[in-house]
């Protein structure tokens, strides 16, 4: 699955591959109800059977323990507990090993089905009726619905060492003479948890911030700014100074958004920063070739304001 994944992360095709897996739930009548979930293949290192697990003293209830994978010891998360599912003893004997945000973690699931290649256009944002902050996207198949989970949020809330760190107070107050309030930054991220953290940091530093839940919303805003500037003659950077985008988003991903911006001559001076958990050294090179002005990983959040000062002012 790696060659296809590399193509998807390089070309801005607005496609992704997801690994479908199940967390089965027992309803009030004792019936087993299958629940289908998905994770981007780009986050998956491997899928294994549950090995011997070593308990961790005073760990979070959702942490099953530690497992040894070759020469590496990694944390094992019981995903059914994280999602508050009543599994009533159904064994979760499969482990999906994930790697993102410079961490490696295992998640226990009941079964792993297959890999699907789909367009982000077919991934819908969760409807407002689904009050679950752990869900960032919905894929409608012929006979079921696959829910895309926000693993950054799920895992970040289980361990302070895996959580996003905010910029320090000294950085927030640094360069106070800069006129940040005159600059507007567009932030596109489907995770309300991460978007709230990023936008809060930028607003606290003094920037004006516009939020978008996906690349499609972000592109619509960019188009509206272009039309406004074309009609008024105002320089675009005075209205929109910087775009910061995640990659994995419903409707349109961040790579496709970046490619669309870079195709327009009048947007040539608009900086685009990709802010993603998938930012390996190899991917960073590909994304710069696609037109990204800079790339930050999710653990780089303390540098976000500093990076905005460099590109937006």
């Amino acid at each position: 699955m790696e060659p296809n994944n590399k193509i998807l992360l390089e070309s801005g095709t607005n496609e992704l591959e997801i690994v479908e897996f199940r967390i089965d739930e027992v309803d009030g009548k004792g019936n087993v109800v299958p629940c289908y979930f998905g994770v981007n293949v780009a986050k998956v290192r491997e899928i294994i059977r549950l090995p011997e697990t070593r308990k961790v003293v005073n760990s979070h209830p959702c942490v099953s323990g530690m497992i040894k994978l070759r020469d590496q010891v990694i944390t094992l998360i019981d995903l059914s507990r994280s999602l508050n599912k009543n599994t009533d003893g159904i064994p979760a004997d499969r482990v999906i090993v994930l790697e993102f945000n410079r961490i490696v973690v295992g998640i226990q699931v009941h079964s792993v089905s297959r890999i699907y290649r789909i367009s982000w256009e077919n991934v819908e944002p969760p409807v407002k009726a689904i009050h679950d902050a752990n869900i960032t996207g919905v894929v409608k198949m012929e006979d079921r619905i696959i829910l895309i989970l926000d693993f950054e949020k799920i895992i970040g809330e289980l361990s302070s060492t895996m959580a996003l760190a905010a910029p320090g107070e000294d950085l927030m107050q640094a360069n106070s003479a800069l006129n940040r309030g005159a600059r507007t930054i567009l932030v596109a991220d489907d995770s309300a948890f991460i978007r709230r953290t990023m936008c809060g940091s930028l607003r606290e530093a003094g920037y004006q911030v516009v939020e978008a839940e996906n690349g499609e919303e972000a592109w619509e805003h960019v188009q509206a700014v272009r039309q406004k500037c074309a009609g008024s003659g105002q320089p675009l950077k005075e209205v929109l100074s910087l775009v910061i985008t995640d990659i994995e988003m419903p409707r349109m991903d961040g790579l496709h958004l970046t490619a669309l911006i870079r195709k327009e001559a009048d947007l040539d001076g608009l900086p685009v920063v990709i802010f993603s958990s998938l930012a390996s050294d190899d991917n960073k090179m590909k994304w710069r070739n696609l037109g990204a002005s800079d790339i930050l990983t999710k653990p780089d959040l303390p540098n976000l304001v500093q990076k905005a000062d460099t590109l937006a002012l």
Side-chain angles (χ1 to χ4, degrees):
M1 60 187 176
E2 186 157 342
N4 284 339
N5 178 47
K6 287 185 175 181
I7 291 172
L8 298 182
L9 290 176
E10 181 178 5
S11 60
T13 60
N14 205 38
E15 293 179 315
L16 81 156
E17 291 178 328
I18 59 171
V19 175
E20 181 192 49
F21 61 89
R22 278 172 46 179
I23 297 291
D24 295 333
E25 187 173 20
V26 178
D27 64 15
K29 298 180 179 179
N31 300 314
V32 176
V33 180
C35 302
Y36 299 90
F37 298 94
V39 59
N40 194 330
V41 166
K43 287 187 170 78
V44 178
R45 175 188 279 193
E46 57 187 296
I47 300 167
I48 60 174
R49 289 186 176 275
L50 179 66
E52 180 181 356
T53 304
R54 300 176 183 177
K55 294 295 183 181
V56 179
V57 179
N58 297 325
S59 63
H60 192 283
C62 296
V63 175
S64 300
M66 310 291 288
I67 61 173
K68 187 174 182 180
L69 186 62
R70 289 176 285 280
D71 294 328
Q72 187 173 15
V73 177
I74 64 175
T75 302
L76 183 63
I77 306 299
D78 185 343
L79 191 57
S80 62
R81 284 183 175 236
S82 298
L83 300 177
N84 296 314
K85 298 291 186 183
N86 175 25
T87 59
D88 195 23
I90 302 173
D93 59 358
R94 293 292 185 275
V95 176
I96 302 177
V97 180
L98 304 179
E99 183 173 12
F100 60 93
N101 285 345
R102 303 175 192 165
I103 64 171
V104 179
V105 65
I107 59 167
Q108 282 181 262
V109 302
H110 290 137
S111 63
V112 179
S113 306
R114 55 170 291 184
I115 295 173
Y116 292 97
R117 183 168 181 168
I118 58 177
S119 169
W120 278 110
E121 293 181 358
N122 296 326
V123 181
E124 300 179 10
V127 295
K128 302 302 181 183
I130 300 179
H131 299 291
D132 191 339
N134 294 320
I135 299 170
T136 59
V138 177
V139 182
K140 295 180 179 179
M141 309 297 285
E142 290 185 3
D143 58 346
R144 64 195 179 283
I145 292 176
I146 302 175
L147 303 177
I148 307 297
L149 293 175
D150 185 352
F151 281 104
E152 283 92 343
K153 175 182 181 295
I154 292 171
I155 294 173
E157 291 182 341
L158 299 183
S159 170
S160 59
T161 61
M162 299 179 185
L164 293 177
E169 191 66 27
D170 55 339
L171 180 60
M172 300 299 286
Q173 295 178 353
N175 302 318
S176 57
L178 298 174
N179 190 15
R180 290 169 173 161
R183 299 299 186 185
T184 298
I185 298 174
L186 171 61
V187 175
D189 200 302
D190 63 329
S191 169
F193 169 72
I194 293 175
R195 194 174 65 250
R196 183 170 57 248
T197 304
M198 285 196 298
C199 294
S201 297
L202 292 168
R203 288 187 177 116
E204 188 177 348
Y207 284 105
Q208 302 295 316
V209 181
V210 176
E211 299 184 35
E213 295 185 2
N214 54 64
E216 186 176 74
E217 283 187 12
W219 179 238
E220 289 174 356
H221 181 77
V222 172
Q223 293 284 66
V225 169
R226 291 177 71 196
Q227 292 179 1
K228 176 181 178 180
C229 292
S232 67
Q234 186 177 13
L236 185 136
K237 192 158 185 177
E238 292 183 2
V239 182
L240 181 60
S241 303
L242 174 64
V243 175
I244 301 174
T245 179
D246 186 23
I247 288 181
E248 302 173 273
M249 296 182 291
R251 309 301 302 164
M252 182 189 297
D253 69 13
L255 296 182
H256 194 59
L257 172 64
T258 302
L260 287 175
I261 291 174
R262 287 295 170 255
K263 287 178 181 178
E264 303 298 333
D266 59 326
L267 300 178
D268 184 60
L270 178 62
V272 178
V273 172
I274 291 178
F275 192 76
S276 173
S277 62
L278 305 176
S280 64
D281 290 340
D282 190 34
N283 285 337
K284 286 180 181 180
M285 180 178 65
K286 296 172 184 175
W287 301 342
R288 285 193 174 94
N289 290 337
L290 195 64
S293 306
D294 211 331
I295 297 103
L296 295 176
T297 63
K298 297 295 170 74
D300 287 331
L301 182 61
N303 302 322
L304 183 62
V305 172
Q306 187 177 34
K307 187 60 62 178
D309 289 344
T310 301
L311 294 172
L313 295 175

